[in-house]
């Protein structure tokens, strides 16, 4: 095979390999995304529930204040009993007493209702905190695995970079410029094999003459349709 063509095939392979690392690294990073999203959503639920508990506690405290007021009022009413002058006054006082007692019982009911709610919310909160803890542990484990995998990929990629740099030392500048020009639009498919007499870049059939030239591999042949550099694939690659 033409020396330059051989180098071009090799360079193109290195460039293809290097490009393939980025999606692999992204794929590793994405393994964490779902777990981070879940942890985020649990965290927001936790703060929402905590706010609800605060609200309920403030309501309970207001009811307790009200209850204390009602009890004072009831004490005052019972003291008034000693100074009653007539039946009318007695009836009015009894009515007031009854209403106050009703209000007390209502306030007590409300406090116990709030207590039940607070208790169930606090249980829910504990559950959520446990869940978040588990999620965080899992994230830490995955983080270690992901970091290791990315480090390994970066190491491999640097090796390919080094091989590429070594190859470029021997490269002819004109050939390199020629390659870079095609690569600008063809990306990693600037140098492609010919299969069944068709260019593997544009998939168009090439003429018998062009095909014969590719098989001979004595010079650099461009696809007559798309301009990519063509080469004859070795058997093992095709398999
Ligand atoms: Zn082509």
């Amino acid at each position: 095979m033409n020396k330059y063509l051989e180098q071009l095939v090799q360079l193109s392979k290195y460039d293809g390999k290097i490009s393939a690392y980025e999606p692999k690294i992204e794929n590793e990073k994405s393994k964490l995304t779902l777990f981070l999203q879940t942890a985020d959503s649990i965290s927001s639920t936790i703060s929402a529930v905590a706010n609800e508990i605060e609200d309920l506690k403030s309501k309970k405290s207001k009811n307790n204040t009200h209850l204390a007021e009602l009890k004072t009022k009831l004490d005052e009413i019972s003291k008034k009993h000693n100074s009653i002058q007539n039946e009318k006054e007695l009836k009015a006082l009894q009515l007031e007493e009854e209403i106050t007692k009703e209000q007390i019982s209502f306030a007590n009911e409300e406090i116990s209702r709030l207590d039940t709610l607070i208790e169930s919310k606090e249980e829910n909160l504990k559950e959520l905190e446990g869940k978040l803890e588990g999620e965080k542990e899992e994230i830490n484990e995955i983080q270690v695995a992901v970091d290791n995998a990315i480090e390994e990929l970066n190491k491999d990629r640097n090796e390919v970079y080094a091989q590429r740099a070594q190859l470029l030392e021997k490269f002819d500048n004109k050939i390199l410029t020629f390659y870079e020009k095609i690569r600008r639009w063809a990306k990693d498919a600037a140098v492609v094999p010919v299969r069944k007499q068709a260019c593997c870049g544009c998939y168009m059939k090439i003429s018998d003459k062009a095909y014969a030239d590719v098989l001979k591999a004595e010079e650099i042949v461009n696809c007559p349709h798309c301009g990519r550099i063509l080469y004859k694939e070795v058997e093992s690659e095709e398999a």
Side-chain angles (χ1 to χ4, degrees), residues 35-180:
F35 289 91
L36 290 172
Q37 280 169 349
T38 310
D40 257 4
S41 125
I42 296 173
S43 288
S44 340
T45 314
I46 284 177
S47 52
V49 173
N51 281 339
E52 282 168 20
I53 291 172
E54 279 315 298
D55 261 8
L56 291 169
K57 281 184 175 169
S58 135
K59 275 182 192 159
K60 186 186 160 183
S61 142
K62 276 180 196 156
N63 271 284
N64 273 324
T65 310
H66 186 48
L67 188 63
E69 284 163 6
L70 289 170
K71 279 177 178 163
T72 312
K73 193 177 172 188
L74 200 60
D75 284 345
E76 281 161 7
I77 290 169
S78 75
K79 276 179 207 153
K80 276 186 197 163
H81 271 287
N82 304 324
S83 56
I84 275 173
Q85 308 281 328
N86 53 46
E87 186 79 5
K88 199 181 159 198
E89 269 182 24
L90 178 68
K91 279 211 168 138
L93 198 64
Q94 278 172 338
L95 186 65
E96 208 186 347
E97 194 170 26
E98 226 169 88
I99 290 169
T100 308
K101 278 180 179 166
E102 247 172 54
Q103 286 173 331
I104 287 175
S105 115
F106 182 77
N108 274 324
E109 271 169 32
E110 185 61 7
I111 287 166
S112 110
R113 186 186 74 90
L114 290 167
D115 272 338
T116 313
L117 266 176
I118 289 168
E119 203 179 313
S120 101
K121 295 260 178 212
E122 275 172 345
E123 252 172 56
N124 186 8
L125 190 65
K126 238 183 238 168
E127 232 172 76
L128 286 166
E129 280 165 348
K131 235 172 152 184
L132 183 62
E133 206 45 54
E135 205 70 25
K136 279 181 177 169
E137 272 169 32
E138 215 157 350
I139 286 170
N140 285 342
E141 271 172 41
I142 296 166
Q143 182 81 63
V144 172
V146 165
D147 285 349
N148 285 341
I150 290 177
E151 200 188 311
E152 204 57 41
L153 286 168
N154 275 327
K155 225 166 74 189
D156 290 353
R157 181 165 60 177
N158 285 340
E159 256 169 55
V160 184
Y161 270 130
Q163 289 170 334
R164 185 185 190 273
Q166 222 172 21
L167 177 66
L168 280 188
E169 279 172 21
K170 300 177 264 176
F171 237 80
D172 179 271
N173 267 337
K174 268 189 202 154
I175 301 274
L176 183 62
T177 310
F178 174 59
Y179 167 77
E180 295 291 2

Side-chain angles (χ1 to χ4, degrees), residues 185 192 198-204 206 222-228 230:
W185 60 267
V192 293
C199 159
C200 276
C202 66
Y203 302 105
M204 303 258 290
I206 58 170
N222 293 86
C223 170
H225 311 291
C226 69
R228 287 181 175 90
L230 299 176

Side-chain angles (χ1 to χ4, degrees), residues 21-30 150 153-154 157:
Y21 282 108
E22 206 43 56
K24 282 181 194 164
I25 289 171
E26 283 312 309
N27 179 49
E28 284 300 324
K29 286 181 187 166
S30 74
I150 290 177
L153 286 168
N154 275 327
R157 181 165 60 177

